[in-house]
């Protein structure tokens, strides 16, 4: 090839590369999180439950306002610097705020004051955003849910739900009084109480038409209001100026394929459901003729997706199970919610640059789906990690921001607080997910609750992981290709006993046996009849050995047992080492055992490992892996968010692993810190998760870390999987 030809080829290649970069789709990445509890007054109990449910933004995009029903308040957040949100205080009410919308310099707040389900009441408050003063209060004549404001801020619509009592008649309808829609005028953002119109909705729906339960409202630019009646499985289109019902239609039913239908501790996306009511929750207009609804299916349904309708009731697009299946691929599927699945609940729609986008909030999966509205089938662009139970969202296109409000506050169980999360759209790569699954034999590989890692010999970037007892009916060894970004789960080896899925396993660690099989560390739990044990599986995943702990250990056993397993040596000289998570009955406070077992001689032994001390919570071990001259261990506390103090990797010289016999005085090993993982856990700008469960070093000497998402049960569902680079360089 001639020189000028080479130059031409290179130039063309560079031009193509540059063009590709120039036209790369911008992405959303999380840039900050705000714990709603940070807005609690100084004199309040800092462990008071709080929430962020519905959220709105001031016109300049610098202030967020959210409803906090448990604390009977609305909260303000200063996001002038969106990467460093600041507490802006609260305004308290004698009642529970259910929704908030912005009209110029004012916030309109719907407040529930009902005495009982049969005596519903509530009001709409006008709050000045700058002074945080309540300027007006309008009696709504019922229990409000959603509130919306039209484009020119002259009208407000409030869904009066008068919700049912789920304890009465199994929550069935009708349960009077019926709900309706309130319309009123705004002047300079202030509600005109004298202009209130009540729009009667009885007699419209096919399901319990005498008892409409309005859920969510949205205006288009023609001042038409789209209103969902969730339990009635119905949608109503109303003239916002006159209160005239212009159209109404059933949300209909949908049949789903490729879904998990059983709450059985196994992820099997092979089932189907027939004729499930959509039961829409949130609704947003995509333009003046089309609207999208989130099919939560909270009552009798379980439609799991979203639907785009024309305003005359024609289905233009049905998502079916597609959104849910994409969520399963990133490990966020909530197996305990199998009747209803991921429960899409919230929506937002906005134009960012030339792109018309809408955002679907999956409450039970804690995920936000980012879709491009193409006018036909929407295009899924991203899945964003959110806090626990996203309920509301607000887009701020002028600042390229998206904000979610996540209602669950797990403080009473020591879990994550309610958070508001902020995302920015820009050039670059999506930072989440960090690990995804693929298909095997045509079936989607579901995953979650990853609890241990190990390398695959002579294959850099290839690892194996195990899941724990959350998936009690589907214990699995996963193969991970970490050379891809995000990392990909490319295989799943099911662990079996006598030809069936192995029961009574809580695998917390895995290590190859050197012959195609694996050793597993099984953590016991007497309440569940699980035994502390070492398990061996062959290359087919079949259990062929179960080694119970000896009497010397059983005499002092406690709940928190083996949390990792590794091996030193080969053949008859192979020795297995297991990390015991916390102190057992015969351990001195602040010391745990590293237990050894030699399969060829069946000898047990142990050394003692000194734990760090923290101001609160407990400290224990979560992993052990050997590489070269050192054994590496994860030592962590059980705390989450700002309370987290200790998530570190330490190492112990292999030379110190000289076990004494059980029952004798055990030697204490030396340890040194390798890496503080808290900065890594903060890298995606969420809160620090508690369960850093897996660590290993691959064939190339690179370290990898994985977190346990607890099967998306009282968890955001985020699985963090990342490399810390060459370990020998540390």
């Amino acid at each position: 090839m001639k020189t000028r030809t080479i130059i031409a080829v290179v130039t063309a290649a560079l031009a193509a590369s540059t063009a590709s970069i120039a036209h790369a789709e911008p992405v959303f990445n999380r840039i900050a999180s705000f714990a709603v509890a940070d807005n609690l007054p100084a004199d309040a109990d800092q462990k008071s439950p709080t929430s962020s449910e519905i959220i709105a933004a001031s016109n300049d995009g610098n202030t967020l306002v959210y409803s906090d029903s448990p604390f009977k308040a609305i909260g303000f957040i200063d996001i002038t610097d969106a990467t460093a949100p600041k507490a802006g205080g609260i305004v308290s009410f004698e009642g529970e705020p259910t929704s908030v919308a912005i009209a110029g310099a004012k916030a309109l707040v719907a407040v529930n004051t009902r005495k009982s389900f049969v005596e519903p009441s509530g009001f709409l408050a006008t709050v000045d955003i700058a002074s945080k003063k309540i300027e007006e209060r309008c009696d709504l004549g019922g229990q409000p849910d959603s509130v919306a404001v039209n484009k020119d801020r002259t009208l407000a619509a409030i869904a009066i739900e008068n919700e049912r009592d789920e304890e009465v008649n199994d929550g069935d309808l009708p349960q009077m009084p019926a709900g309706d829609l309130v319309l009123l005028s705004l002047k300079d953002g202030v509600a005109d109480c004298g202009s209130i119109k009540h729009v009667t909705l009885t007699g419209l729906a096919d399901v319990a038409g005498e008892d409409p339960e309005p859920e969510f409202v949205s205006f288009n630019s023609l001042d038409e209001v789209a209103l969902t009646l969730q339990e009635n499985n119905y949608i109503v289109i109303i003239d916002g100026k006159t209160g005239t019902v212009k159209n109404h239609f059933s949300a209909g039913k949908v049949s789903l394929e490729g879904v998990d239908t059983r709450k059985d501790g196994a992820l099997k996306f092979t089932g189907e459901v027939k004729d499930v009511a959509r039961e829409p929750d949130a609704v947003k207009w995509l333009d003046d003729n089309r609207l999208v609804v989130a099919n939560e299916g909270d009552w009798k349904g379980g439609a799991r997706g979203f639907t785009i309708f024309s305003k005359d009731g024609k289905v233009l697009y049905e998502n079916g199970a597609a959104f849910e299946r994409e969520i399963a691929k990133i490990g966020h599927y909530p197996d305990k919610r199998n009747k209803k699945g991921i429960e899409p609940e919230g929506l937002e729609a906005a134009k960012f640059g030339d792109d018309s986008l809408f955002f679907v909030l999956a409450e039970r999966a804690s995920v936000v789906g980012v879709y491009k509205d193409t006018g036909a089938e929407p295009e899924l662009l991203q899945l964003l990690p959110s806090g626990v139970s996203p309920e509301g969202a607000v887009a701020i296109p002028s600042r390229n921001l998206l904000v979610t409000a996540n209602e669950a506050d797990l403080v009473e169980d020591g879990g994550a607080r309610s958070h508001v999360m902020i995302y920015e759209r820009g050039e670059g790569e999506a930072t989440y997910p960090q690990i995804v699954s693929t298909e095997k034999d045509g079936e989607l590989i579901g995953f979650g609750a990853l609890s241990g890692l190990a390398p695959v010999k002579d294959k850099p970037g290839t690892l194996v992981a195990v899941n724990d007892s959350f998936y009690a009916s589907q214990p699995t060894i996963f193969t991970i290709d970490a050379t891809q970004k995000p990392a990909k789960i490319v295989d799943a080896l099911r662990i079996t006993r006598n030809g069936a899925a192995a029961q009574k396993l809580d695998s917390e660690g895995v290590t190859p046996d050197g012959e195609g099989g694996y050793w597993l560390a099984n953590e016991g739990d007497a309440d569940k009849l699980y035994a502390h044990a070492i398990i061996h599986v062959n290359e087919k995943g079949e259990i062929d050995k179960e080694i119970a702990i000896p009497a010397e250990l059983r005499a002092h056993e406690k709940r928190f047992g083996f949390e990792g397993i590794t091996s030193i040596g080969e053949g008859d000289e192979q020795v297995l080492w297991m990390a015991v998570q916390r102190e057992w009955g015969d351990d001195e406070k602040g010391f745990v055992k590293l237990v050894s077992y030699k399969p060829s001689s069946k000898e047990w032994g142990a050394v003692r490992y000194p734990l760090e001390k923290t101001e609160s919570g407990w400290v224990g071990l979560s992993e052990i892996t050997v590489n070269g001259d050192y054994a590496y261990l994860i030592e962590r506390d059980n705390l989450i968010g700002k309370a987290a103090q200790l998530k570190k990797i330490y190492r112990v010289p292999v030379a110190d692993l000289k076990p004494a016999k059980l029952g004798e005085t055990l030697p204490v090993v030396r340890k040194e810190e390798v890496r503080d993982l808290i900065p890594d856990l903060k890298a995606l700008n969420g809160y620090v998760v508690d369960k850093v469960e897996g660590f290993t070093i691959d064939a190339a000497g690179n370290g990898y870390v994985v977190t346990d998402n607890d099967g998306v049960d009282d968890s955001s569902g985020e699985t963090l999987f990342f490399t810390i680079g060459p370990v020998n360089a540390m």
Side-chain angles (χ1 to χ4, degrees), residues 124-140:
L124 183 73
T126 302
V127 178
D128 182 74
I129 296 173
S131 67
K132 299 182 178 62
K133 300 294 185 182
I134 300 174
E135 296 185 344
E136 186 57 274
R137 172 174 161 159
C138 302
D139 185 0
L140 295 173

Side-chain angles (χ1 to χ4, degrees), residues 48-53 67-73 95-97 407 409:
S48 298
T50 62
S51 182
S52 54
E53 187 173 5
S67 60
D68 182 352
S69 177
F71 205 68
K72 297 183 177 181
E96 300 177 356
E407 67 174 331
D409 190 329

Side-chain angles (χ1 to χ4, degrees), residues 230-345:
Q230 184 173 23
E231 284 79 4
N232 309 95
N233 195 37
Y234 217 71
I235 298 169
V236 185
I237 309 298
I238 301 149
D239 186 322
K241 294 177 180 177
T242 66
T244 302
V245 174
K246 300 183 71 173
N247 196 20
H248 57 92
F249 50 89
S250 171
K253 297 180 179 181
V254 62
S255 295
L256 306 172
E257 296 180 350
V259 295
D260 192 350
T261 59
R262 299 181 61 188
K263 188 172 72 174
D264 56 0
L267 297 174
K268 298 177 181 178
F269 300 97
T270 57
E272 60 181 35
V273 292
K274 298 290 186 181
D275 297 327
V276 179
R278 290 187 171 96
E279 293 183 6
D281 189 318
V283 58
K284 286 289 181 179
W285 292 92
L286 297 177
D287 54 36
D288 287 337
N289 295 299
R290 298 177 303 132
L291 51 99
V292 58
V293 295
N295 300 324
E296 183 184 15
D298 189 42
W299 182 28
K300 294 183 177 180
R304 305 176 183 227
F306 61 89
T307 308
I308 297 175
F309 287 96
S310 64
K311 65 182 179 184
D312 62 4
K314 182 180 180 181
V315 174
L316 302 177
Y317 171 76
E318 171 55 49
N319 176 260
F323 181 37
E324 182 171 270
R325 287 177 63 84
E326 292 299 323
I327 283 174
K329 291 178 184 177
I330 67 170
H332 278 252
Y333 183 77
D335 187 60
K336 284 191 174 181
R337 301 291 302 184
N338 269 347
K339 180 180 179 182
K340 300 175 182 178
I342 60 172
E343 294 191 34
E345 182 162 4

Side-chain angles (χ1 to χ4, degrees), residues 656-710:
D656 281 15
L657 297 181
K658 297 178 179 178
K661 291 183 178 180
L662 298 174
E664 297 181 356
T665 301
L666 304 180
V668 178
V669 298
R670 299 166 293 157
K671 72 175 189 179
E672 61 177 322
E673 181 179 326
V674 174
R675 188 181 184 95
D676 182 358
L677 294 174
I678 287 182
D680 297 298
L681 299 175
K682 290 181 176 179
L684 299 190
N685 299 307
Y687 55 80
V688 176
V689 298
D690 54 339
K691 294 189 175 181
V692 188
E693 292 277 312
F695 174 70
T696 198
I697 301 168
D698 76 349
N702 295 307
Y704 290 87
V705 177
V706 72
T707 62
D708 177 356
N709 73 353
D710 278 334

Side-chain angles (χ1 to χ4, degrees), residues 40-68:
L40 286 170
D43 59 352
D45 180 355
Q46 297 302 298
K47 292 187 177 181
S48 298
T50 62
S51 182
S52 54
E53 187 173 5
I54 302 301
I55 194 161
S58 60
N59 289 344
D60 62 6
N62 290 331
T63 301
L64 300 174
V65 188
Y66 61 87
S67 60
D68 182 352

Side-chain angles (χ1 to χ4, degrees), residues 459-474:
K459 291 187 177 181
T462 303
L463 314 173
V464 292
V466 288
N467 57 7
D468 66 22
S469 61
F470 186 87
Y471 300 104
S473 298
Q474 197 179 53

Side-chain angles (χ1 to χ4, degrees), residues 124 126 136-139 184-185 190-197:
L124 183 73
T126 302
E136 186 57 274
R137 172 174 161 159
C138 302
D139 185 0
L184 55 77
S185 299
V190 179
D192 178 3
C193 300
S195 68
I196 284 180
K197 295 188 187 79

